[in-house]
Amino acid sequence: MRASVVTPAGPASDACGKLSAVTTPRERWQQAFDASPLREATYATMSGVPLAPVYGPADGSGEYPGQYPYTRGPYASMYRSKLWTMRMFAGFGTADDTNWRFKEIIKSGGDGLSTAFDMPTLLGLDSDDPMSLGEVGRCGVAVDTLADMEDLYAGIDLGAITTSMTINSPAAPIFAMFIAQAEKAGVHRSRLGGTLQNDILKEYQAQKEFVFPPRQSMRLVRDTMAFTAAEMPRWHSISISGYHIREAGSTAAEELAFTLANGFAYVELAMQAGLPIDSFAPRLSFFFNAHIDFFEEIAKYRAARRIWARWLRERYGAQLERSLQLRFHTQTAGVSLTAQQPEVNIVRTAIEALAGVLGGTQSLHTNSMDEALALPTEKAARIALRTQQVIAYETNVAHVADPLGGSWFVEELTDEMERQAEELFAHLDELGDGSMLEGCIKGIEDNWFQGRIADSAYELERALNNGGRIVVGVNRFTEGNDDEQMDLLEITNDDEARQLKRLDEVRHRRSQAAVDAAMERLAADAADPEVNLMPALIDASAAYVTLGEMMSTMAGVFGRHVEVPTI
Amino acid sequence: MSARILIGKVGLDGHDRGVKVVARILRDAGFEVIYTGLFQTPATIAAAALDEDVDMVGLSMLSGAHMTLAPLVVKELRERGSAAPVVVGGIIPDRHVAALQEAGVAAVLTPGATAEQLVAEVQRVLDAHQSSLH
């Protein structure tokens, strides 16, 4: 297929302007690198051997970071300009509790926040809903109204730090609450930087926190994409997530393929809504798992960048370099952690985190050793952050971009990941009759994704049980398994009681007339598929309409999704 | 006739990898397995257990709500006249096991239990229940 011309943005355009004078990829890379801001550090080995920012063939040929198709990294200078963001996911109990943990993270050197919500919030239920019993504040923070959002980010300058929110089915109303809260605190929406997970397709495929049927959910995704494209230049509207697909049991190639296919579906969704591709594609970001098979993970990240760049340019006609450069967050594999001898999880997490860094991740969350048993204690979470700091500041691995590029093994594994992914894309493309958007939705409706993931999960389990796969402390090397369990974080029922009291107070304090008017408008806007729902949701948030009320109002129009249970 | 086991997800947690793997392991071990699907309440689990006339109920609990919800499932079953034993599997800290057993849970399977241990424990619970009926 013939490629269209790419117009690079930013520093690289200087390099391109002088293309005629430049002959090799190496020289083009050098020009882009020279135009990049650099971080102060000693770029040499421990013994004083100077290190180049990247290595390649002696004749200057080959592919370099920051060059299409970006296999070796989205930027010419990679970590020499900026280390990855050490973004630690946190959230538990009430908003006050999590606000305290956020401030601890900032104090100990974390530079981005990532918010975990509790199960009721993830499903758009209020804390006083009968279904919420026992789940309030357990797996994350409970957010019912704007009042909780205000407490959650109190004393944190949202114009200065980036915030990521792991929320999907109720992403639009939670995002609306976040915007209403920031603007009340004096930070205009245009200054807000961060990421909304907002990846609903993988919910039906893997994580299963869905509320509305797929097509209605996709309308909300479209609305958030259009809203951020128009009003929030620093915001990433979707974090297209393979993490949960992998955690649910997929292989690395399935994680890669399903995630990118979902990405293509969102691209088609926005294009169908009339958004020019280069108006929203630069704000799409990705989220991958870092599992324990070290080289396969690195190959997966490299293949992801290459596939995304090719598809965006060749199939969807993107022109801006930023649209083609896949940027991603990484989290180490929760599912690789063991309850047995949990201290060993520190080692697993370190190896997985290293794969993310050698694969060129833009941000990273490292799991805590005790997370196979409970939410992490403060000490366990600190060790997890320290693990990243050891990689960043002691090992020198960040000095050289794509250090494994050119390895026969890693290059071939990268090609193999790409080949397997293309096979899966071909299936979805056929299923959708030439539309990846339709293919992904049909694949969900037909249980194709869910079935493949469950099959792969069962295969892995069988390998563990027949000894084909060894997990230290589980099926080998079990001495020490009977030691007394370490101290774990205890979430008491007091948190649930406190949250119910807070919610009750808000319900009594707010103006019922304002709530009624806001809900009426929301219902009317929801009924008209041409209307963007974000303004109505922001107004409803400001009137202290609860999350549950907003979601029920929309469910009245959209209906609710029910999955047919299959083993 | 093989024993009938109802496997369910109670509460709001959608993570169904574990429950599906467990269901397949038990099915492959010769049990008849009925899976409720996601987002069940203690009442819907108990109603299904009676409708399906099962010999045992298995719950997959990963979100930390086990101390609240598992005892409620036992209570709903007993109130409806079912004596089916309840087995809980998932992310359960050791120090919660005794309290769950006191609340009437027959057995608790913690993370990392192997397929062999799972099948043996289920068989043990079924046998104990059978002998208590005679």
Side-chain angles (χ1 to χ4, degrees):
Chain A
M1 215 178 303
R2 210 181 132 65
S4 55
V5 177
V6 179
T7 314
S13 55
D14 299 330
C16 258
K18 295 171 198 153
L19 252 182
S20 55
V22 168
T23 49
T24 67
R26 168 94 203 179
E27 286 165 320
R28 277 189 287 129
W29 167 84
Q30 187 69 51
Q31 287 198 341
F33 181 83
D34 290 345
S36 308
L38 297 180
R39 190 168 54 89
E40 280 295 323
T42 308
Y43 293 110
T45 68
M46 234 175 149
S47 323
V49 179
L51 291 175
V54 69
Y55 290 84
D59 63 1
S61 67
E63 191 197 323
Y64 286 81
Q67 290 175 359
Y68 182 87
Y70 308 101
T71 314
R72 305 197 64 189
Y75 310 120
S77 53
M78 291 301 287
Y79 299 138
R80 291 229 176 169
S81 287
K82 184 181 174 295
L83 284 170
W84 63 93
T85 303
M86 299 180 193
R87 190 184 294 286
M88 300 298 283
F89 192 40
F92 65 101
T94 63
D96 286 334
D97 300 326
T98 300
N99 179 262
W100 175 83
R101 176 65 71 85
F102 280 165
K103 287 177 176 163
E104 287 296 307
I105 288 172
I106 294 169
K107 243 193 291 178
S108 56
D111 46 10
L113 298 178
S114 177
T115 315
F117 296 98
D118 70 358
M119 287 285 171
T121 307
L122 291 176
L123 282 164
L125 298 170
D126 289 335
S127 296
D128 56 3
D129 189 288
M131 277 299 284
S132 301
L133 180 69
E135 311 259 19
V136 175
R138 287 227 178 259
C139 280
V141 59
V143 172
D144 291 310
T145 68
L146 181 63
D148 296 323
M149 205 57 105
E150 286 165 359
D151 291 346
L152 187 56
Y153 297 109
I156 295 168
D157 181 1
L158 293 175
I161 196 161
T162 60
T163 313
S164 149
M165 284 179 284
T166 298
I167 192 85
N168 295 282
S169 289
I174 286 285
F175 188 38
M177 279 189 199
F178 178 78
I179 294 165
Q181 169 273 137
E183 295 197 331
K184 223 177 139 186
V187 183
H188 188 259
R189 62 186 69 163
S190 61
R191 286 181 53 215
L192 294 171
T195 307
L196 200 59
Q197 192 165 83
N198 202 22
D199 173 11
I200 197 66
L201 292 171
K202 65 96 173 55
E203 293 298 326
Y204 304 104
Q205 294 159 353
Q207 188 170 238
K208 311 290 176 80
E209 300 289 345
F210 42 68
V211 176
F212 309 124
R215 289 173 202 274
Q216 284 75 9
S217 288
M218 289 296 267
R219 181 253 177 110
L220 285 171
V221 175
R222 179 204 70 185
D223 288 355
T224 49
M225 289 177 87
F227 183 81
T228 50
E231 305 201 32
M232 299 179 70
R234 298 186 59 217
W235 199 271
H236 294 98
S237 55
I238 314 180
S239 168
I240 305 156
S241 303
Y243 182 80
H244 319 79
I245 293 170
R246 191 66 179 283
E247 290 287 296
S250 81
T251 63
E254 285 165 343
E255 177 196 355
L256 173 66
F258 296 172
T259 309
L260 294 183
N262 291 343
F264 304 145
Y266 296 124
V267 164
E268 291 182 15
L269 175 77
M271 289 174 80
Q272 278 178 15
L275 296 176
I277 184 151
D278 288 319
S279 76
F280 65 87
R283 265 187 300 275
L284 297 174
S285 64
F286 286 81
F287 172 19
F288 290 110
N289 200 299
H291 218 304
I292 196 70
D293 191 325
F294 190 71
F295 290 108
E296 185 171 60
E297 295 304 278
I298 294 166
K300 178 184 77 183
Y301 308 129
R302 301 176 88 246
R305 280 190 293 263
R306 184 194 291 170
I307 295 167
W308 184 254
R310 286 199 178 134
W311 274 64
L312 268 276
R313 188 165 94 170
E314 293 174 12
R315 177 142 165 168
Y316 299 117
Q319 303 275 311
L320 277 184
E321 191 166 30
R322 290 276 301 171
S323 300
L324 310 180
Q325 293 165 321
L326 180 146
R327 293 165 302 272
F328 68 100
H329 172 68
T330 302
Q331 180 170 340
T332 56
V335 78
S336 73
L337 303 180
T338 65
Q340 296 87 342
Q341 306 181 51
E343 295 87 348
V344 180
N345 291 328
I346 298 174
V347 181
R348 295 191 178 97
T349 296
I351 292 167
E352 293 163 359
L354 183 61
V357 170
L358 298 188
T361 193
Q362 276 59 60
S363 69
L364 180 61
H365 167 96
T366 31
N367 293 323
S368 303
M369 63 172 140
D370 52 359
E371 289 188 80
L373 298 159
L375 291 190
T377 61
E378 199 199 330
K379 181 174 180 188
R382 191 171 55 233
I383 292 172
L385 175 60
R386 294 285 179 262
T387 303
Q388 295 199 38
Q389 290 162 339
V390 168
I391 294 172
Y393 299 108
E394 293 187 23
T395 65
N396 288 346
V397 297
H399 285 352
V400 178
D402 190 38
L404 295 169
S407 147
W408 287 318
F409 169 43
V410 170
E411 293 296 349
E412 187 149 331
L413 204 51
T414 304
D415 293 346
E416 173 64 14
M417 286 286 121
E418 183 178 12
R419 195 192 58 72
Q420 288 190 25
E422 290 289 350
E423 259 177 39
L424 294 166
F425 297 149
H427 174 78
L428 287 166
D429 208 14
E430 197 184 308
L431 202 60
D433 219 357
S435 155
M436 293 300 277
L437 174 59
E438 271 307 306
C440 284
I441 293 178
K442 285 222 178 79
I444 288 165
E445 289 168 348
D446 297 354
N447 237 14
W448 181 76
F449 292 104
Q450 298 93 313
R452 276 204 66 130
I453 293 169
D455 288 348
S456 296
Y458 193 50
E459 278 306 306
L460 261 182
E461 187 64 30
R462 278 160 56 117
L464 184 71
N465 285 307
N466 66 27
R469 186 167 70 103
I470 290 164
V471 178
V472 172
V474 173
N475 59 354
R476 284 281 286 279
F477 315 112
T478 54
E479 302 81 8
N481 281 7
D482 298 330
D483 290 0
E484 200 177 321
Q485 208 161 64
M486 62 174 60
D487 287 339
L488 299 174
L489 184 75
E490 183 80 32
I491 310 271
T492 63
N493 281 334
D494 299 357
D495 293 326
E496 187 152 339
R498 274 196 296 146
Q499 183 60 23
L500 291 176
K501 188 160 166 284
R502 288 163 58 89
L503 176 56
D504 193 53
E505 281 165 10
V506 174
R507 284 196 202 273
H508 282 93
R509 203 169 63 212
R510 63 187 188 171
S511 152
Q512 195 55 46
V515 169
D516 293 343
M519 292 204 344
E520 206 169 303
R521 178 188 169 196
L522 180 58
D525 282 7
D528 183 349
E530 298 307 310
V531 175
N532 190 309
L533 279 172
M534 282 306 296
L537 289 167
I538 293 171
D539 286 354
S541 301
Y544 292 88
V545 175
T546 68
L547 178 63
E549 289 164 344
M550 290 190 237
M551 292 296 283
S552 311
T553 300
M554 289 190 283
V557 179
F558 296 157
R560 289 184 187 270
H561 180 69
V562 180
E563 184 188 65
V564 180
T566 50
I567 293 175
Chain B
M1 213 180 79
S2 62
R4 285 165 67 78
I5 301 175
L6 185 82
I7 299 282
K9 285 286 287 184
V10 63
L12 303 179
D13 176 32
H15 293 87
D16 60 1
R17 175 183 184 157
V19 76
K20 287 187 171 187
V21 166
V22 163
R24 288 189 187 197
I25 290 171
L26 293 177
R27 193 183 58 191
D28 289 358
F31 298 105
E32 202 176 325
V33 177
I34 300 129
Y35 172 47
T36 63
L38 299 168
F39 310 129
Q40 302 299 309
T41 65
T44 59
I45 293 271
L50 269 103
D51 283 353
E52 298 284 353
D53 191 24
V54 295
D55 302 299
M56 196 195 102
V57 173
L59 302 175
S60 162
M61 312 201 72
L62 308 176
S63 73
H66 50 270
M67 295 298 274
T68 308
L69 295 178
L72 286 176
V73 172
V74 175
K75 185 168 160 275
E76 288 281 347
L77 281 166
R78 302 301 172 253
E79 278 176 10
R80 288 158 200 250
S82 165
V86 174
V87 174
V88 177
I91 301 184
I92 318 285
D94 288 351
R95 59 169 196 282
H96 290 169
V97 172
L100 287 174
Q101 285 172 337
E102 238 162 76
V105 171
V108 177
L109 288 154
T110 51
T114 62
E116 215 171 303
Q117 288 164 344
L118 165 70
V119 171
E121 191 65 0
V122 164
Q123 195 57 58
R124 187 190 66 76
V125 167
L126 286 167
D127 291 347
H129 180 58
Q130 271 304 317
S131 60
S132 75
L133 294 178
H134 296 299

